[in-house]
Amino acid sequence: MEKDEIIKMVREGLEGMTGVGKTIVLSDEDRKVIAKLEEKADQMTLMGLGRGDNKGVKAVLQSDVIIPFQTTMEYKWPCGPNVLLMHEDTVVGEDINDPEKLQSFENDAESLVIGNIVVYDKGFLTALNSKSDPLVVVMPPKPCDEVECLSHVCNAILASPSPPTDEYLKEKMGLQSVHGTGSFLLGFNFECCQCD
């Protein structure tokens, strides 16, 4: 199967998913622009908690093909966590979308809940020097089973872009910034290592 045919098949598969709108294929120049935008975004303080590290976008940028796609409120996000709060190599918090689990953290005196972000031990935060020893807000790559199962496709991953990259992608796709719409990045490879 030709690479163009595979890309077409993947785009059609994406566009058939609930809550997915327009798709495009990014160029090498787009990759460079996004890498710079994400580098700047990583230096900003996220949610007042610490600096960012969008591991998802960094992983997608290594893929053979990158397809950004528009999302609406109907789009079903990949299973969480979609945000991890890290201190050195330890996960100290995450986003939680299960209302019951979130409630149990709200009832726990040791935890701090900000929206749907949970810090497991709020005492840890007060002891932390945010200037010299900040938290890192990590957005990990997520698997994309709907694309991974297609023939001639492997290592299909999703990433949630930073706000500046989201704006750039919407502009590339010719979309207005409308409340409830967003963008995601899909990356995949043509060849898989069949190492034993």
Side-chain angles (χ1 to χ4, degrees):
M1 195 173 207
E2 293 291 321
K3 289 183 178 179
D4 287 349
E5 292 175 59
I6 296 167
I7 292 169
K8 182 174 185 280
M9 174 183 67
V10 169
R11 287 181 70 186
E12 286 171 354
L14 271 176
E15 289 167 1
M17 291 168 57
T18 302
V20 173
K22 189 170 185 174
T23 66
I24 61 170
V25 179
L26 293 184
S27 67
D28 287 341
E29 189 56 40
D30 293 322
R31 288 175 192 256
K32 291 175 189 165
V33 170
I34 290 169
K36 285 187 177 137
L37 289 170
E38 289 296 324
E39 195 176 312
K40 279 187 196 166
D42 278 357
Q43 301 313 311
M44 292 183 217
T45 300
L46 294 175
M47 300 176 279
L49 296 170
R51 69 175 181 79
D53 185 2
N54 198 329
K55 291 185 184 295
V57 172
K58 289 173 184 164
V60 163
L61 288 174
Q62 303 306 310
S63 301
D64 291 343
V65 179
I66 304 173
I67 300 176
F69 59 95
Q70 176 192 24
T71 60
T72 66
M73 296 292 267
E74 290 79 43
Y75 178 69
K76 189 173 185 303
W77 273 57
C79 290
N82 293 302
V83 174
L84 297 171
L85 302 179
M86 305 282 298
H87 182 256
E88 294 170 355
D89 292 331
T90 307
V91 177
V92 297
E94 65 182 283
D95 69 319
I96 295 178
N97 293 317
D98 178 338
E100 287 178 22
K101 195 172 177 186
L102 203 55
Q103 186 65 48
S104 71
F105 279 108
E106 285 175 351
N107 296 337
D108 179 0
E110 300 297 311
S111 304
L112 173 66
V113 179
I114 308 164
N116 73 330
I117 304 284
V118 173
V119 178
Y120 308 136
D121 178 6
K122 62 183 174 193
F124 165 82
L125 277 184
T126 54
L128 191 67
N129 182 335
S130 59
K131 293 278 187 247
S132 62
D133 196 18
L135 283 179
V136 179
V137 182
V138 175
M139 280 71 73
K142 309 297 290 181
C144 185
D145 298 335
E146 296 89 346
V147 171
E148 184 72 32
C149 68
L150 298 173
S151 60
H152 306 286
V153 169
C154 62
N155 305 324
I157 52 173
L158 294 171
S160 181
S162 68
T165 300
D166 176 65
E167 287 301 314
Y168 175 78
L169 294 172
K170 285 177 179 170
E171 193 176 303
K172 288 289 298 182
M173 290 189 273
L175 303 170
Q176 299 294 318
S177 279
V178 179
H179 175 72
T181 64
S183 64
F184 254 89
L185 287 166
L186 167 75
F188 69 91
N189 294 332
F190 295 114
E191 300 296 327
C192 299
C193 176
Q194 300 297 330
C195 309
D196 291 56

